[in-house]
Amino acid sequence: MREKIEKIILNIERVIKGKREAIKAVVATLLAKGHVLMEDVPGVGKTMLARSLAISLGVDFKRVQFTPDLLPTDLTGLYIYDRKKEDFVFKRGPIFTDVLLADEINRATPRTQSALLEAMAEGQVTVDGITHRLSDRFFVIATQNPIEYEGTFPLPEAQLDRFMTCVKMGYPDEKAEMEMLTSQEKGHPVEHLEPVLNPEELTGLQKAVRNVFVSDDVKRYIVDIANATRNHPSLLLGMSPRGSIALMHFSMALAFMEGRDFVLPDDVKKAALYVIPHRVIQSAESRLKRERKEDIVKEILDHVKVVE
């Protein structure tokens, strides 16, 4: 099992240089059957990572550029009248895929953003009162630029909470950037990428992750961390129960990727930095002090004791 996961990561690294931890976080989110928000400046490889992942898994991939004029039906699909059949038929939108890249999600209106809520939470969409099931492998990779705010619509807390993890790529180091320039000197490596897994193998990996054992002590540790976020003076809003579940499932995926069938507290600590920061809201005083959410989470992890 671990060898299959390593194949995926190595294949993506043929395109994305020097970002192994970010790649692992995205793969772990997929294995945990969550969704990922990639928040970073333009040009660091967010879109290429999504394409490379879909190609590596041999699954369907669609990219939607979110803009202010994008309508919910542009995403979900709509019923159109078929003269031959003399009836309305459903024309599926790009959301009917395995991996959906929602590019610059915060540029669409809240109405369009909300079209993803049901899909991400329940794996289905409802159009004109009729429910349509999505792929069992449905996985959203949404991107947004955290620097440019003009013409954007910030994601509401309810939507942010639907994302299991928030992953930041960051700039590559000098060595990785040199490798990137060399690899793209005569073309883009993604054009030559081949699948290393098939969709059925992916489904098997996702089922195996859910069989990873989580002890009551580790569950207690997760609950203690969640309570600490709800009572921290720098946080106006702490982690939701949905966040606690996401933290457990993501920890299970990380443990599985390390070749273990049980979760350690260290898995939870590592998972927390991807699962918690985007879910909490800082107090006005904390924002004035320019405190970073990641630093607040690290402080919480330092103070919450591991149950033994």
Side-chain angles (χ1 to χ4, degrees), residues 43-54:
V44 294
K46 301 185 294 293
T47 301
M48 281 299 111
L49 196 159
R51 280 188 62 192
S52 303
L53 176 65

Side-chain angles (χ1 to χ4, degrees), residues 73-260:
T73 51
D74 293 331
L75 191 63
T76 61
L78 73 166
Y79 282 91
I80 58 175
Y81 188 74
D82 189 322
R83 288 184 177 181
K84 291 182 179 179
K85 295 182 179 179
E86 296 185 347
D87 197 4
F88 285 91
V89 296
F90 184 61
K91 182 181 179 182
R92 293 186 167 199
I95 203 169
F96 288 89
T97 187
D98 293 319
V99 176
L100 175 70
L101 174 61
D103 215 355
E104 294 188 290
I105 188 173
N106 57 333
R107 290 202 173 277
T109 61
R111 182 185 175 197
T112 301
Q113 290 174 8
S114 66
L116 275 175
L117 281 174
E118 182 184 10
M120 293 169 65
E122 300 174 40
Q124 63 184 33
V125 292
T126 303
V127 181
D128 290 345
I130 300 174
T131 299
H132 305 267
R133 292 294 306 173
L134 298 174
S135 165
D136 290 336
R137 293 178 292 272
F138 180 65
F139 178 54
V140 175
I141 300 178
T143 72
Q144 66 175 4
N145 179 356
I147 306 299
E148 189 179 359
Y149 292 107
E150 187 175 347
T152 64
F153 302 87
L155 293 174
E157 284 68 38
Q159 181 115 18
L160 285 171
D161 207 32
R162 294 302 200 281
F163 289 100
M164 179 174 282
T165 57
C166 181
V167 177
K168 297 179 181 179
M169 299 274 287
Y171 291 115
D173 58 31
E174 291 182 8
K175 181 182 177 183
E177 197 158 4
M178 282 290 291
E179 290 177 359
M180 181 189 68
L181 293 177
T182 302
S183 69
Q184 297 189 33
E185 197 170 358
K186 297 180 181 179
H188 205 292
V190 76
E191 296 169 2
H192 307 289
L193 218 57
E194 297 288 339
V196 293
L197 253 70
N198 59 53
E200 289 70 29
E201 287 177 303
L202 170 61
T203 301
L205 290 173
Q206 290 176 327
K207 288 180 179 178
V209 167
R210 290 301 168 96
N211 290 324
V212 172
F213 176 71
V214 186
S215 69
D216 287 343
D217 287 342
V218 171
K219 289 175 186 173
R220 169 55 59 187
Y221 182 50
I222 291 172
V223 170
D224 288 345
I225 291 172
N227 284 327
T229 67
R230 296 163 192 162
N231 296 298
H232 197 282
S234 295
L235 297 178
L236 192 64
L237 181 71
M239 185 168 67
S240 68
R242 185 190 288 118
S244 301
I245 295 169
L247 182 55
M248 180 181 71
H249 286 161
F250 190 63
S251 300
M252 292 162 68
L254 291 180
F256 182 77
M257 290 176 70
E258 292 297 323
R260 283 182 277 106

